Coordinates of all heavy atoms in Angstrom, one line a residue:
T296 N 3.9 -15.9 13.3 CA 3.5 -16.3 12.0 C 3.4 -15.0 11.2 O 2.8 -14.0 11.6 CB 2.1 -16.9 12.0 OG1 2.2 -18.1 12.9 CG2 1.6 -17.4 10.7
L297 N 4.1 -15.0 10.0 CA 4.0 -13.8 9.2 C 3.1 -14.1 8.0 O 3.3 -15.0 7.2 CB 5.5 -13.5 8.7 CG 5.6 -12.5 7.6 CD1 5.2 -11.1 8.1 CD2 7.0 -12.5 7.0
L298 N 2.2 -13.1 7.8 CA 1.3 -13.2 6.6 C 1.7 -12.1 5.6 O 1.6 -10.9 5.9 CB -0.2 -13.0 7.0 CG -0.7 -13.9 8.1 CD1 -2.2 -13.6 8.4 CD2 -0.6 -15.4 7.7
L299 N 2.3 -12.6 4.5 CA 2.9 -11.7 3.6 C 2.2 -11.8 2.2 O 2.4 -12.8 1.5 CB 4.4 -12.1 3.4 CG 5.5 -11.2 3.0 CD1 5.5 -9.9 3.9 CD2 6.8 -11.9 3.1
P300 N 1.2 -10.9 2.0 CA 0.5 -11.0 0.7 C 1.5 -11.0 -0.5 O 2.6 -10.4 -0.4 CB -0.4 -9.8 0.7 CG -0.5 -9.4 2.1 CD 0.8 -9.7 2.7
R301 N 1.1 -11.5 -1.6 CA 1.9 -11.4 -2.8 C 2.1 -10.0 -3.2 O 1.3 -9.1 -2.9 CB 1.2 -12.1 -4.0 CG 1.0 -13.6 -3.7 CD 0.9 -14.5 -4.9 NE 0.3 -14.0 -6.1 CZ -0.7 -14.6 -6.7 NH1 -1.2 -15.7 -6.3 NH2 -1.1 -14.1 -7.8
P302 N 3.3 -9.6 -3.8 CA 3.6 -8.2 -4.0 C 2.5 -7.5 -4.8 O 2.1 -6.4 -4.5 CB 4.9 -8.3 -4.9 CG 5.6 -9.5 -4.4 CD 4.5 -10.5 -4.1
E303 N 1.9 -8.2 -5.8 CA 0.8 -7.5 -6.5 C -0.4 -7.2 -5.7 O -1.3 -6.4 -6.1 CB 0.5 -8.2 -7.8 CG -0.1 -9.6 -7.6 CD 0.9 -10.7 -7.6 OE1 2.1 -10.5 -7.2 OE2 0.6 -11.8 -8.1
H304 N -0.5 -7.9 -4.5 CA -1.7 -7.6 -3.6 C -1.3 -6.7 -2.5 O -2.2 -6.2 -1.8 CB -2.2 -8.9 -3.0 CG -2.7 -9.9 -4.1 ND1 -2.7 -11.3 -3.9 CD2 -3.3 -9.6 -5.3 CE1 -3.3 -11.8 -5.0 NE2 -3.6 -10.9 -5.8
C305 N 0.0 -6.3 -2.5 CA 0.4 -5.3 -1.5 C 0.3 -3.9 -2.1 O -0.3 -3.0 -1.5 CB 1.9 -5.5 -1.1 SG 2.1 -7.0 -0.1
A306 N 0.8 -3.7 -3.3 CA 0.7 -2.4 -4.0 C -0.8 -2.2 -4.4 O -1.6 -3.2 -4.3 CB 1.5 -2.5 -5.3
D307 N -1.2 -1.0 -4.7 CA -2.6 -0.7 -5.0 C -3.1 -1.7 -6.0 O -2.5 -2.0 -7.1 CB -2.7 0.7 -5.6 CG -2.6 1.7 -4.4 OD1 -2.5 1.3 -3.3 OD2 -2.6 2.9 -4.7
N308 N -4.3 -2.3 -5.7 CA -4.9 -3.3 -6.6 C -6.4 -3.3 -6.3 O -6.9 -2.9 -5.3 CB -4.2 -4.7 -6.4 CG -4.6 -5.2 -5.0 OD1 -5.6 -5.9 -4.8 ND2 -3.8 -4.9 -4.0
A309 N -7.1 -4.0 -7.3 CA -8.6 -4.0 -7.1 C -9.1 -5.2 -6.4 O -10.2 -5.3 -5.9 CB -9.2 -3.9 -8.5
A310 N -8.2 -6.3 -6.3 CA -8.6 -7.5 -5.6 C -8.9 -7.2 -4.1 O -9.8 -7.7 -3.5 CB -7.6 -8.6 -5.8
M311 N -8.0 -6.4 -3.5 CA -8.2 -6.1 -2.1 C -9.5 -5.3 -1.9 O -10.1 -5.4 -0.8 CB -7.0 -5.3 -1.6 CG -6.8 -3.9 -2.1 SD -5.3 -3.1 -1.4 CE -5.5 -1.4 -2.0
I312 N -9.9 -4.5 -2.9 CA -11.1 -3.7 -2.8 C -12.3 -4.7 -2.8 O -13.2 -4.6 -2.0 CB -11.2 -2.7 -3.9 CG1 -10.0 -1.8 -4.0 CG2 -12.5 -1.9 -3.9 CD1 -9.7 -0.9 -2.8
A313 N -12.2 -5.7 -3.7 CA -13.3 -6.7 -3.8 C -13.3 -7.5 -2.5 O -14.4 -7.9 -2.0 CB -13.1 -7.6 -5.0
A314 N -12.2 -7.9 -1.9 CA -12.1 -8.7 -0.7 C -12.8 -7.9 0.4 O -13.6 -8.5 1.2 CB -10.7 -9.0 -0.3
L315 N -12.5 -6.7 0.6 CA -13.2 -5.9 1.7 C -14.6 -5.7 1.3 O -15.5 -5.7 2.2 CB -12.4 -4.5 1.8 CG -13.0 -3.6 2.9 CD1 -13.0 -4.3 4.3 CD2 -12.1 -2.4 3.0
G316 N -14.9 -5.5 0.1 CA -16.3 -5.3 -0.4 C -17.2 -6.5 0.0 O -18.3 -6.4 0.5
H317 N -16.6 -7.7 -0.1 CA -17.3 -8.9 0.2 C -17.7 -8.9 1.7 O -18.8 -9.3 2.0 CB -16.3 -10.1 -0.1 CG -17.0 -11.4 0.2 ND1 -16.7 -12.2 1.3 CD2 -17.9 -12.2 -0.5 CE1 -17.4 -13.3 1.3 NE2 -18.1 -13.3 0.2
R318 N -16.8 -8.4 2.5 CA -17.2 -8.3 4.0 C -18.3 -7.3 4.2 O -19.2 -7.6 5.0 CB -15.9 -8.0 4.8 CG -15.7 -9.0 5.8 CD -14.4 -9.0 6.5 NE -13.6 -7.7 6.5 CZ -12.3 -7.7 6.2 NH1 -11.7 -8.8 5.8 NH2 -11.7 -6.6 6.3
H319 N -18.2 -6.2 3.5 CA -19.3 -5.2 3.6 C -20.6 -5.8 3.2 O -21.7 -5.6 3.8 CB -19.0 -4.0 2.7 CG -18.0 -3.0 3.3 ND1 -18.2 -2.3 4.4 CD2 -16.8 -2.7 2.9 CE1 -17.2 -1.5 4.6 NE2 -16.2 -1.8 3.8
L320 N -20.6 -6.6 2.1 CA -21.8 -7.2 1.6 C -22.4 -8.2 2.6 O -23.6 -8.1 2.9 CB -21.5 -8.0 0.3 CG -22.7 -8.6 -0.4 CD1 -23.7 -7.5 -0.9 CD2 -22.3 -9.5 -1.6
R321 N -21.5 -9.0 3.2 CA -22.0 -9.9 4.2 C -22.6 -9.2 5.4 O -23.5 -9.7 6.1 CB -20.9 -10.9 4.6 CG -20.7 -11.9 3.5 CD -19.6 -12.9 3.9 NE -19.8 -13.5 5.2 CZ -19.0 -14.4 5.7 NH1 -18.0 -14.8 5.0 NH2 -19.2 -14.9 6.9
A322 N -22.0 -8.1 5.8 CA -22.5 -7.3 6.9 C -23.7 -6.4 6.6 O -24.2 -5.7 7.4 CB -21.4 -6.5 7.5
G323 N -24.1 -6.5 5.3 CA -25.2 -5.6 4.9 C -24.9 -4.1 4.8 O -25.8 -3.3 4.8
R324 N -23.6 -3.9 4.7 CA -23.2 -2.5 4.6 C -23.1 -2.0 3.1 O -22.1 -1.9 2.5 CB -21.8 -2.2 5.3 CG -22.0 -1.6 6.6 CD -20.7 -1.3 7.3 NE -20.0 -2.4 7.8 CZ -18.7 -2.7 7.7 NH1 -17.9 -1.8 7.2 NH2 -18.2 -3.8 8.3
I325 N -24.3 -1.7 2.6 CA -24.4 -1.2 1.2 C -24.4 0.3 1.2 O -24.9 0.9 2.1 CB -25.8 -1.7 0.6 CG1 -26.1 -3.2 1.0 CG2 -25.9 -1.4 -0.9 CD1 -25.2 -4.2 0.4
A326 N -23.7 0.9 0.2 CA -23.6 2.3 0.1 C -25.0 3.0 0.0 O -25.8 2.5 -0.8 CB -22.7 2.7 -1.0
P327 N -25.3 4.0 0.7 CA -26.5 4.7 0.6 C -26.6 5.5 -0.7 O -25.5 5.8 -1.3 CB -26.6 5.7 1.8 CG -25.1 5.9 2.1 CD -24.4 4.6 1.7
P328 N -27.8 5.8 -1.3 CA -27.9 6.5 -2.6 C -27.1 7.8 -2.6 O -26.7 8.2 -3.7 CB -29.4 6.7 -2.8 CG -30.0 5.8 -1.7 CD -29.1 5.5 -0.6

Side-chain angles (χ1 to χ4, degrees):
T296 302
L297 169 66
L298 306 180
L299 209 49
R301 297 205 329 232
E303 65 266 34
H304 297 150
C305 289
D307 284 354
N308 68 89
M311 68 181 190
I312 304 300
L315 182 53
H317 182 258
R318 236 166 24 227
H319 282 291
L320 183 67
R321 283 183 51 180
R324 257 186 284 143
I325 314 294

